[in-house]
Amino acid sequence: MPLLTTTKQYTNNALQNNPLHIALFPATGPEGQTQERNRLEYSFMLNSSLDIFEARMPSKTIGHDFGLLHALDERIALYGWLTNTGVKLVVVVDMEGRTAPSPEAAKIAILGLRNSDLTPAFQALQTAYIRLLRNPFYVPDDHDPRTNRNRGSMEITSPRYIKEVERIGKAWYPGITAI
Amino acid sequence: MSRPAQQQPPYEDDPLNPKVAASALDLLLIELVPLAQRITEHLLAREQAILDEYKRSRLFNRTASKVPAKSQASTVTNGAGSLTVAGARGGVIGGGAEDGVVVGSEGKAEVKDHKDGEEHATTSLGFPIMSEETRERVFWRLDGMGYRVGQGLVERFSVNKPRPTTPLEAIKFICKDLWILVFRKQIDNLKTNHRGIFVLTDTKFQPLGRMSVDRRTGIRGAEEALARAQTYLYFPCGVIRGALAGLGVEATVEASSTEIPTATFQIKQKGAKA
C-alpha cells in the first residue's frame, strides 16, 4: 500500500505561496525496514507542483479536486486539492507501498490509484484545517506573507493539527471511504 | 398549563463541522460593543496613567511626591487586572490593532490632559456617550474582531460551494450564504458600478432590528440612537472584510445607517475607481 507525504500551501492572487505544513511518512526499505524520507527533496517536489494549480486554474472553474497533478516517475504521484480560500493541499503518493498492517489487508490487491481514492484524505485534511481555524490562538494573518508582521516562521505550529495530519497519513489506504 | 408532547426535529450535530449558533451569536454581538468600549477605555486610562507618572517624574525631579505616584500605580494595576480578564478575548485578535492604537494614544495624550474616572456625557436615556478618541479605537477593535471571525467563517462554510472566480461572485456568496448564516436573512439589495464598488443594503438589519429609539425628544432622539447604533455596525463590517480576504478579494468596508433598522454597507475594492 502506498504511503503519503502531505503539505499545505497558502496562496493569494499575487502568487505568493507559503508552506503551512509538511508531513512526511517513512518509506519502506528493501527488507521491510522503514527509511526516513528526504525533506528537501519533497519540499522541491511540492513547491514545483504549485505551478500546476496556477496553470490549470482558468479551465478548472468548478470543483476543488485537481486530481492527479503530476506523475513524477513510476513511483511518485502528486494529487492536489484547492479550497475556496486559496489553501492548497498536496498529497504525494509513493506507489511502492508499505507492509500491510494485517494479513487480511495483505490479500487485497491494489492495482492503481483513482482520483476518488484520495478524496477522503483531502476531506479529512480540510476538516483538520477548519478545526485549526476555530482555535483562537491561530491567527491566519500570521501565516500569510502579505500580512505577517513577526517575520518569523510562518508554518503551522499547533500540535493538535500536526497530530491529526499524522493520523490521516497513517490511516489512509486506497479504497478507504472515510478517515 | 400542559403542552402536547412535540416531536423534536432531528438535529444533525456533527462535532467536527458544527453549525453557527445564531441566537448565541446575537447575544454575543450585543455584549461585544460594550466590551470593546471597556477594553479601549482601560487601555487609554493605563496609557494616560503611565504618561502622567513620566511627566511628573521629569518635572519634579527630586521633589517627586510619593502619594500621587502610588495612586497612579494602583490605577495602573487595576487597569491591568481587568485587562487580563477581558484581554483573553481581544488579546490575540486585537494584538495587531493595539500597536497602531498605542502609537496614536501617545501622540494624543501629550496634547490632552484629562483625569481618570472622568464624568461621561449621557444621552437622554442615560447611556454614556464615548469621547471621540475612544470611538475610533473601539471601531478599530471591533473591526479587527470581525475580521478574524470572517476569515474563520468563510473557511468553514464555503466547503462544498463552487469556488468564486470573480469578486462579484465572492460578494454574492457573502450576500446569500454568509448573511443567512450569521443574520438569518439575505441581503435585500446589491448594487455595483462594475468598477470595484459594491453597495449592500439590508432593510431590516438584524442587530438593529430590536433597537429602541427615544421618540419623546423628537429628531434628537433619533440622531442619538443612530450614533449609538453605528457602533454595532462595525463588527459586521469586519466580518465582511474578513470573508472577502479569505476569498482573495482585498477591500475596505464601511457601514452606515440613515434610519433604523436599515443598514448600508459600502465595499470598495482595492484600486477601484468611483
Side-chain angles (χ1 to χ4, degrees), chain B residues 202-255:
Chain B
D202 194 340
T203 47
K204 196 171 181 314
F205 190 48
Q206 206 274 335
L208 301 182
R210 299 245 173 274
M211 284 188 179
S212 59
V213 179
D214 191 7
R215 301 238 179 249
R216 288 174 300 177
T217 54
I219 300 287
R220 196 170 72 87
E223 283 173 5
E224 273 174 15
L226 269 181
R228 292 206 327 266
Q230 183 74 12
T231 358
Y232 288 86
L233 291 175
Y234 279 89
F235 185 80
C237 271
V239 172
I240 297 179
R241 194 164 64 90
L244 283 174
L247 293 170
V249 177
E250 273 189 51
T252 54
V253 184
E254 274 169 21

Side-chain angles (χ1 to χ4, degrees), chain B residues 54-126:
Chain B
Y54 173 73
K55 270 190 231 160
R56 234 156 274 207
S57 67
R58 281 288 270 262
L59 288 174
F60 313 117
N61 226 327
R62 267 157 228 146
T63 57
S65 35
K66 302 265 168 86
V67 176
K70 242 194 237 163
S71 65
Q72 295 295 347
S74 62
T75 46
V76 167
T77 47
N78 276 342
S82 48
L83 251 186
T84 47
V85 170
R89 182 79 210 282
V92 176
I93 306 163
E98 239 180 80
D99 297 339
V101 164
V102 168
V103 170
S105 86
E106 289 215 15
K108 284 190 186 169
E110 304 258 332
V111 178
K112 278 193 193 170
D113 193 26
H114 59 268
K115 321 184 256 296
D116 303 328
E118 55 189 281
E119 287 296 316
H120 285 277
T122 57
T123 66
S124 59
L125 288 172

Side-chain angles (χ1 to χ4, degrees), chain B residues 24-45:
Chain B
L25 186 61
D26 290 346
L27 294 169
L28 200 63
L29 289 187
I30 293 176
E31 173 55 22
L32 204 61
V33 171
L35 177 74
Q37 201 173 331
R38 285 196 293 270
I39 296 177
T40 315
E41 276 166 10
H42 277 127
L43 276 175
L44 270 178

